[in-house]
């Protein structure tokens, strides 16, 4: 049995002291070890952002991809070798800004991937601009008079587009988050786990304390995650009014929606079995295809 | 009427079928071409169509000859006019003594000012179909029967093909088609004027296949063991997506129409990481979206093949026409510096060979390989000898697909840690696929160290070492890539030497045959590998030439500029074409004659 520390590399984390990424990193490594995933069969694809530096700190088969393009890289990796466990880590700018199209289409494909978003409502690595999940009205260097548009309803979008596991976590609640990560990784289908992860340097609104006052665990209130319409309604009620008081706006964390048994994208690819590199061991016999051209 | 440099002893016939989009013209034309190639004749077809599904004017032409041919020609010998617009637009292209086949009920030939120079053949296409109890789309079949009647070619090739084609729809449908074809032929035989060229099957001809450029690329990719193909539809690359999708179950390929070209490129990179032979293809506009990912492939040392099939740009441009204006674009696409290979197939046989070779090069060099084509290559079918599948080989380079990395000490550091980006004399590192036991790795879009970590990537010594390591792969490529191809006379004895790339090869080869008949010897160098640029071969070729001419399908002389930059030599003449149409052999013939002999057309 491995331990969370077995997924460390010689590189020390460079995140700011107090960064929510630490809690997520701890929860992920714990999930990997508790699930018994060997580091050489675990593939993780990162986008670009503060979270992405985790590529240097996490022992696995890593791919530190482009900003916004982690999901397509993970899709190719997963479909080309379904024997690997593939986890995707992205920031809120990655997944819901520049990569929103890839996110939506990945949901509807029900790829057997785990999409984990480090959602801190701000662009950290580029010094504090508004992100797609920044609350309306918030002042940032790129929106000095306040954000004019609504934040992306991340989990609502995932449900609408067909993700079969949709959950929300909070990086301070590592134990709860570890459970969500394990559930997301073991879910067969596209698992979306959006994690509130406070940015201590750039986001002075959505702080650790701010989230702690508001979050509650869904399972503590007997939430049934199998009702898609109810789950959708929950995402509409609770997640787009972050400036309201703790009493007015309680933020649920936990599994919002889960649907078992829906076929994955790879289930439809009946033409291949096993890793695709085995298709190129020798030249293919194309005699029949050539005969079509005569 | 066009001047006809094919000469009076010509043995070829070019048939042009024109009508509105949606008339099934391309399918009919391809059936006609198949009839001829099955009889051992050579064919080259050309499709021209607007970016519309219905309502535009479409033409398909097929050139047929008992001799080897390399391109279309301008003059038309038989014009099949399925509507009046076809007559109006194309009657001037028909040679003296040529024919126009038309249905007097639907089509007027009043626009022909000098009908006596032509053989106007009235064939009641509509009535034939109605009498046989067929559907209107079968007018094409009647017209094909008429073409065969006119040229004296046996109808059996067409009727056999129709029986085979409609076998699955029941014998009745096939019977009606055969009846319609037979009637069409009978009307043509009744025509008062004899057609000057007689087409006959060639006895004991060598077998041929009939392929367009995209089919050839698809076949090359299949032969090479492609595992994943991703694309977003874009003319003229879309038919490659269709081709591979149609064959995915038979050959075990994952074919994905992704949400955009950005996803296509990045998905292919992910598949390559897992060890699949992976490819994406598009035209210039889609490639614009792929450019970011191309750089990722370069820095992460991903083995991928990218097809860029040019149509005239910029932006949406002329979607269904041809150009060679993306040469500089593919050479310089993406920020930063990284090695890439650019191969430019000139015909369908090239397209097959260069595609399977592209997969080997990508694996050997662990870097992107670009196949640069164009609409003229992609869309048009040519009859060629069956592809040489015996020559296909799979070379995956320095790859570890499975097992334990501990058995590959050359790829490990002193502590036994795997070095994905190990600095080596030839720049090539051992690539262990994810899943290989013990091989911790990070593929990285950031500059990285030998392990793949970004943290130390920015250190001066590391940056220089990794950058130089990657660029050394281009030196390695020089010994692996195909050399330029030479045609025609030796440059030292030729009146003029032509340099070209891509599909211009066909019209150039056709033209130099005609020029040789006039006593003008021409040497041709087709630059097959555009990058790394064959500096030595091009320089030597130019030095041995009396005079040189670059023929390329763009306005700014992109190949010419490359020659000047890399070889420090200036070509003497140039022909540029950028009207969306392919080079015709006539244009090259006339320009060369003018330059060499001072003869004006």
């Amino acid at each position: 049995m491995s331990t969370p520390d077995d997924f460390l590399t010689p590189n020390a984390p460079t995140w700011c002291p107090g960064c929510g990424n630490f809690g997520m990193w701890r929860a992920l490594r714990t999930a990997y070890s508790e699930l018994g995933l060997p580091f050489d069969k675990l593939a993780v694809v990162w986008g670009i952002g503060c979270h992405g530096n985790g590529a240097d700190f996490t022992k696995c088969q890593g791919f530190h991809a482009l900003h916004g393009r982690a999901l397509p890289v993970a899709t190719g990796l997963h479909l080309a070798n379904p024997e690997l466990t593939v986890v995707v880590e992205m920031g809120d700018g990655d997944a819901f800004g520049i990569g929103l199209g890839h996110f939506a289409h990945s949901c509807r494909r029900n790829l057997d991937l785990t999409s984990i978003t480090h959602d801190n409502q701000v662009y950290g690595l580029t010094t504090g601009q508004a992100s797609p999940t920044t609350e309306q009205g918030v002042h940032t260097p790129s929106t000095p008079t306040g954000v004019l548009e609504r934040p992306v309803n991340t989990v609502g979008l995932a449900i609408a587009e067909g993700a079969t596991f949709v959950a929300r976590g909070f990086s301070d609640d590592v134990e709860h988050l570890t459970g969500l990560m394990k559930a997301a990784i073991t879910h067969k289908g596209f698992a979306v786990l959006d994690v509130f992860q406070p940015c201590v340097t750039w986001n002075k609104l959505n702080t650790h304390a701010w989230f702690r006052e508001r979050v509650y665990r869904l399972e503590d209130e007997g939430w049934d995650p199998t009702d898609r319409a109810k789950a959708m309604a929950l995402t509409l009620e609770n997640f787009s009014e972050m400036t309201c008081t703790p009493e007015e706006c309680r933020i649920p964390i936990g599994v919002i929606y889960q649907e078992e048994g829906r076929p994955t994208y790879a289930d439809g690819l009946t033409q291949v079995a096993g890793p695709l590199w085995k298709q190129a061991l020798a030249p293919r016999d194309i005699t029949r295809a050539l005969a079509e051209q005569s | 009427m066009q001047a006809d440099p094919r000469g009076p002893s010509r043995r070829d016939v070019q048939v042009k079928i024109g009508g509105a989009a949606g008339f099934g013209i391309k399918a009919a034309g391809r059936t006609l071409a198949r009839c001829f190639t099955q009889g051992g004749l050579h064919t080259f077809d050309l499709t021209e169509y607007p970016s519309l599904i219905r309502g535009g004017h479409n033409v398909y032409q097929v050139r047929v000859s008992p001799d080897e041919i390399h391109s279309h020609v301008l003059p038309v010998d038989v014009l099949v006019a399925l509507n009046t617009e076809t007559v109006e637009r194309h009657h001037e292209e028909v040679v003296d003594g040529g024919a126009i086949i038309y249905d007097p009920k639907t089509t007027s030939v009043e626009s022909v000012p000098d009908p006596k120079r032509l053989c106007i053949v009235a064939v009641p296409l509509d009535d034939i179909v109605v009498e046989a109890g067929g559907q209107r789309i079968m007018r094409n079949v009647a017209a094909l029967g008429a073409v065969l009647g006119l040229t004296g070619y046996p109808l059996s090739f067409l009727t056999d093909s129709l029986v085979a084609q409609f076998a699955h729809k029941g014998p009745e449908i096939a019977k009606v088609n055969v009846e319609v074809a037979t009637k069409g032929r009978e009307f043509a035989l009744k025509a008062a004027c004899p057609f000057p060229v007689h087409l006959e099957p060639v006895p004991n001809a060598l077998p041929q296949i009939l392929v367009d450029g995209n089919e050839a690329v698809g076949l090359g990719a299949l032969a090479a063991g492609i595992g994943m193909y991703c694309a977003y539809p874009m003319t003229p690359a879309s038919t490659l997506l269709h081709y591979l999708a149609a064959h995915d179950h038979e050959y075990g390929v994952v074919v994905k129409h992704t949400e955009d070209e950005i996803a296509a490129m990045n998905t292919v990179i992910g598949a390559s990481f897992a060890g699949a032979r992976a490819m994406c293809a598009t035209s210039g506009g889609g490639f614009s979206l792929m450019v970011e990912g191309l750089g990722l492939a370069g820095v992460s040392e991903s083995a991928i093949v990218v097809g860029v099939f040019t149509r005239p740009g910029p932006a949406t441009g002329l979607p269904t026409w041809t150009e060679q204006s993306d040469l500089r674009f593919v050479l310089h696409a993406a920020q930063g510096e990284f090695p890439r290979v650019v191969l430019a197939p000139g015909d369908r046989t090239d397209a097959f060979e260069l595609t399977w070779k592209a997969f080997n090069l990508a694996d050997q060099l662990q870097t992107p390989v670009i196949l640069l084509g164009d609409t003229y290559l992609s869309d048009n079918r040519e009859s060629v000898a069956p592809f040489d599948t015996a020559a296909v080989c799979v070379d995956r380079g320095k790859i570890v697909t499975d097992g334990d990395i501990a058995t590959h000490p050359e790829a490990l550091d002193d502590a036994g840690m795997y070095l994905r980006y190990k600095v080596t004399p030839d720049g090539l590192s051992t690539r262990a696929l994810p899943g290989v036991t013990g091989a911790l790795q990070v593929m990285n879009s950031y500059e990285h160290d030998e392990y793949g970590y970004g943290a130390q990537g920015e250190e001066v010594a590391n940056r220089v070492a990794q950058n130089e390591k990657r660029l050394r792969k281009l030196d390695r490529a020089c010994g692996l890539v195909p050399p330029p191809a030479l045609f025609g006379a030796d440059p030292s004895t030729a009146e003029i030497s032509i340099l070209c790339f891509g599909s211009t090869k066909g019209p150039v080869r056709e033209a130099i045959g005609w020029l040789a008949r006039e006593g003008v010897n021409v040497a041709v160098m087709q630059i097959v590998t555009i990058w790394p640029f064959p500096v030595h071969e091009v320089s030597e070729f130019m030095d041995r030439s009396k005079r040189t001419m670059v023929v390329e399908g763009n306005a700014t002389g992109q190949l010419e500029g490359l020659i000047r930059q890399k070889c420090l030599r200036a070509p003497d003449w140039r022909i540029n074409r950028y009207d969306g149409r392919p080079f015709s052999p006539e244009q090259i013939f006339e320009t060369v004659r003018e330059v060499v002999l001072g003869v004006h057309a």
Side-chain angles (χ1 to χ4, degrees):
Chain A
M1 187 74 185
S2 64
T3 71
D5 286 356
D6 289 332
F7 292 89
L8 295 175
T9 73
N11 303 304
T14 49
W15 294 310
C16 304
C19 175
N21 281 333
F22 283 102
M24 290 183 68
W25 187 49
R26 176 80 203 179
L28 258 176
R29 287 183 294 114
T30 307
Y32 295 152
S33 65
E34 289 182 4
L35 290 172
L37 294 170
F39 79 88
D40 42 22
K41 307 289 184 275
L42 167 67
V44 184
V45 183
W46 284 270
I48 298 296
C50 290
H51 78 279
N53 294 330
D56 275 8
F57 323 141
T58 308
K59 190 172 177 179
C60 63
Q61 306 295 303
F63 199 131
H64 199 168
L66 293 167
H67 188 47
R69 318 298 173 210
L71 276 168
V73 169
T75 301
L77 174 58
H78 161 60
L79 296 179
N81 189 349
E83 293 164 9
L84 300 167
T85 299
V86 183
V87 173
V88 187
E89 293 191 60
M90 295 174 286
D92 41 321
D94 248 339
F96 309 123
I98 192 166
L100 185 78
H102 306 310
F103 180 81
H105 289 284
S106 299
C107 289
R108 72 188 183 89
R109 285 176 196 140
N110 198 30
L111 295 154
D112 192 11
L113 294 176
T114 304
S115 162
I116 296 173
T117 41
H118 298 239
D119 190 350
N120 56 14
Q121 299 84 38
V122 76
Y123 280 75
L125 198 57
T126 53
T127 68
Q129 301 85 351
S131 97
T133 56
T134 303
E135 174 58 25
Q136 210 164 7
V138 172
H139 299 253
T140 77
S142 62
T143 58
T145 56
V147 172
L148 295 175
E149 65 259 61
R150 285 178 163 185
V152 172
N153 177 356
T154 61
V155 282
L157 175 68
I159 293 168
E161 296 305 326
T164 50
F165 179 100
V166 181
R168 205 145 212 186
F170 175 38
S171 63
D172 282 18
D173 193 346
V174 173
E175 186 199 341
H176 182 249
L177 185 57
T178 303
L180 290 176
M181 284 173 169
K182 285 164 68 176
I185 292 167
T186 51
H187 173 77
K188 190 169 186 290
F190 196 68
V192 171
L193 175 54
D194 188 37
V195 183
F196 290 126
Q197 170 266 108
C199 174
V200 294
T201 301
W202 301 111
N203 191 334
K204 304 303 183 191
L205 169 68
N206 312 108
T207 61
H208 288 276
W210 188 91
F211 279 114
R212 280 182 189 171
E213 284 179 324
R214 286 166 172 78
V215 297
Y216 70 97
R217 295 179 177 186
L218 277 170
E219 56 270 35
D220 291 348
E221 306 203 350
W223 178 255
D224 169 17
T226 62
D227 187 327
R228 196 169 180 220
K230 256 179 68 189
M232 194 72 209
L234 182 75
T235 73
L236 295 173
E237 280 169 21
N238 293 282
F239 297 137
S240 58
E241 294 294 331
M242 288 199 200
T243 48
C244 59
T245 64
E247 295 72 32
E248 289 168 340
C249 289
R250 296 175 70 222
I251 300 177
I253 56 173
V255 181
I256 297 165
Y257 176 66
Q258 184 167 16
E259 178 185 358
E260 309 264 19
R262 184 170 285 271
T264 66
Y265 190 86
D267 286 340
L269 299 176
T270 53
Q271 68 268 43
V272 287
L276 294 181
W277 59 262
K278 293 186 177 174
Q279 301 287 332
L281 297 174
R284 269 205 192 91
D285 181 356
I286 57 163
T287 310
R288 218 208 52 75
L290 270 180
E292 278 175 17
Q293 306 297 141
S294 62
Chain B
M1 204 214 101
Q2 300 284 339
D4 192 349
R6 295 175 296 176
S9 59
R10 70 190 169 87
R11 309 209 293 162
D12 61 327
V13 171
Q14 185 156 271
V15 181
K16 184 173 234 171
I17 308 172
F23 277 13
I25 285 165
K26 187 169 180 175
R30 287 191 157 184
T31 299
L32 185 64
R34 184 172 283 117
C35 292
F36 291 126
T37 54
Q38 286 182 343
L41 295 166
H42 301 278
T43 63
F44 192 102
D45 74 19
L46 179 70
T47 316
E48 293 183 343
Y49 56 102
S51 186
L52 295 168
I53 299 305
R54 278 306 291 259
H57 179 66
N58 276 20
V59 295
Y60 172 96
Q61 64 185 43
V62 59
R63 183 175 170 215
V64 192
S65 174
D67 308 310
E68 203 179 329
I69 51 176
H70 304 289
S71 74
H72 73 294
V73 290
L74 292 180
V76 172
D77 300 294
V78 181
L79 178 66
V80 178
L82 295 176
N83 60 11
T84 304
E85 187 180 0
T86 302
V87 180
E88 289 167 355
R89 278 178 179 249
H90 302 291
H91 71 83
E92 287 179 1
E93 299 163 19
V94 183
V95 295
D96 287 349
I100 296 179
I101 294 170
Y102 79 113
D103 181 348
K105 206 167 174 181
T106 60
T107 304
S108 159
V109 291
E110 278 173 21
S111 57
V112 181
D114 46 357
K116 288 210 174 82
R117 75 175 184 88
L118 303 174
C119 178
I120 310 270
V121 186
V123 181
L125 304 172
D126 266 11
D127 291 349
I128 288 173
V129 170
V130 170
E131 278 167 28
Q135 294 167 332
R136 195 149 189 264
I137 193 93
M138 290 181 191
R139 294 198 311 156
N140 296 335
V141 174
L144 298 187
V147 171
L148 297 186
L150 206 61
T151 54
Y153 194 77
L155 191 68
S156 57
F157 289 99
L158 177 60
T159 52
D160 289 355
S161 160
L162 291 168
V163 168
Q165 199 180 329
F166 294 106
H168 67 285
K169 290 190 176 172
E172 190 53 36
I173 303 274
K175 195 169 148 263
V176 173
N177 271 284
V178 169
E179 193 181 327
V180 166
T182 310
K183 282 269 171 55
R185 176 170 177 271
E186 283 167 8
F187 272 96
L189 291 176
K190 280 186 239 162
C193 34
F195 188 72
V197 183
H198 204 69
L199 291 171
E200 283 173 6
V202 178
N204 306 315
L206 293 170
Q208 296 186 98
I209 56 169
L210 200 51
V211 283
D212 64 33
N214 286 0
E215 288 163 339
V217 169
L219 285 159
L222 288 176
I226 189 174
M228 187 178 291
Y229 179 79
C230 295
Y232 186 86
M234 186 170 192
T235 306
S238 304
T239 56
L240 177 56
L241 172 63
H242 305 169
Y243 181 84
L244 288 169
H247 293 84
D248 63 349
H249 277 68
E250 182 176 0
Y251 290 107
V253 186
V254 175
V255 178
K256 181 69 193 132
H257 165 177
T258 51
E259 60 269 28
D260 53 35
E261 289 90 348
I262 300 172
M265 167 60 87
N266 283 276
T267 305
V268 158
I269 291 170
S272 167
F273 179 39
R277 286 203 144 176
M279 176 175 179
C280 51
T282 180
S283 192
F287 185 63
S288 298
L289 297 190
M290 291 183 177
V291 164
E292 179 194 37
L294 185 78
L296 172 63
V299 74
S300 65
E301 305 201 33
S302 296
I304 59 164
V305 176
V306 185
V308 182
F309 306 147
T310 302
R311 69 197 217 187
T316 311
L318 286 68
T320 58
W321 300 88
T322 198
E323 202 160 83
Q324 295 187 296
S325 50
D326 291 336
L327 174 65
R328 286 288 187 168
F329 180 31
V330 301
L331 284 186
H332 302 297
Q335 72 273 29
E337 298 169 300
F338 60 90
R340 77 191 74 194
V341 172
V342 179
L343 306 174
D347 56 27
R348 287 85 204 150
T349 305
D350 282 359
F352 174 77
E353 287 183 14
L354 294 180
T355 301
W356 69 257
K357 286 178 178 168
F359 280 95
N360 283 350
L361 287 165
D363 276 336
Q364 289 165 328
L365 299 167
Q366 299 176 23
T367 210
V369 176
I370 293 167
L371 285 167
L372 179 63
D374 57 43
T375 305
Y376 187 56
L377 178 69
S378 282
D379 270 6
N380 301 310
R381 277 186 170 173
E382 181 183 1
S383 66
V384 294
F387 295 141
D388 184 4
T389 53
V392 180
C393 62
V394 168
D395 183 342
R396 304 229 51 193
K398 289 164 103 172
I399 196 169
V400 179
T401 53
D402 49 2
D404 196 316
I405 197 67
T407 61
H408 299 271
E410 75 284 356
L412 307 177
D413 71 2
D414 294 341
M417 289 270 286
Y418 170 54
L419 298 166
R420 170 64 188 90
Y421 299 113
K422 186 179 177 181
V423 175
T424 59
D426 62 3
L428 297 166
S429 320
T430 298
R431 167 186 171 202
L433 300 187
V436 170
T437 305
L440 157 69
Q441 64 176 315
V442 194
M443 297 280 274
N444 213 323
S445 67
Y446 280 95
E447 185 57 279
H448 43 261
D449 63 15
E450 288 186 294
Y451 301 97
Y453 293 130
Q456 288 81 37
E458 299 176 3
E459 298 297 328
V460 169
N462 178 76
R463 160 63 177 178
V464 173
Q466 286 293 326
N467 207 11
E468 290 182 350
K469 162 212 186 315
R470 288 189 294 270
L471 293 173
R472 276 202 296 282
K473 296 194 290 184
L474 200 62
D475 299 332
R476 181 76 192 90
C478 291
L480 298 171
V481 295
L486 296 167
F487 301 97
D490 186 87
S492 59
T493 59
E495 295 295 328
I496 191 166
S497 296
I498 289 176
L499 294 120
C500 65
F501 75 99
S503 69
T504 301
K505 172 188 182 180
V508 166
R509 287 189 72 185
E510 193 68 37
I512 65 165
W514 301 346
L515 287 159
R517 274 210 313 267
E518 300 223 341
V520 178
N521 289 321
V522 182
V524 177
M525 173 176 271
Q526 175 208 358
I527 301 175
V528 175
T529 302
I530 308 267
W531 201 260
F533 194 74
V535 177
H536 174 73
E537 291 93 331
V538 172
S539 299
E540 201 205 5
F541 179 77
M542 291 178 76
D543 291 347
R544 293 177 61 219
S545 298
K546 203 178 284 180
R547 37 168 112 74
T548 55
M549 173 186 272
V550 177
V551 183
E552 58 182 318
N554 56 60
T556 53
Q558 299 188 22
L559 176 65
E560 181 195 337
L562 199 58
I563 291 169
R564 288 171 180 267
Q565 175 197 335
K566 302 301 290 186
C567 304
L568 303 175
R569 282 159 177 82
D572 302 307
W573 301 89
R574 71 172 74 96
I575 315 180
N576 298 92
R577 183 157 194 163
Y578 41 88
D579 59 358
R581 276 63 180 171
F583 278 103
S584 65
E586 287 83 355
Q587 182 186 3
I588 297 160
F589 172 84
E590 281 158 20
T591 310
V592 169
R593 262 203 331 177
E594 195 176 320
V595 166
V596 174
L597 305 175
V599 175
H600 292 272

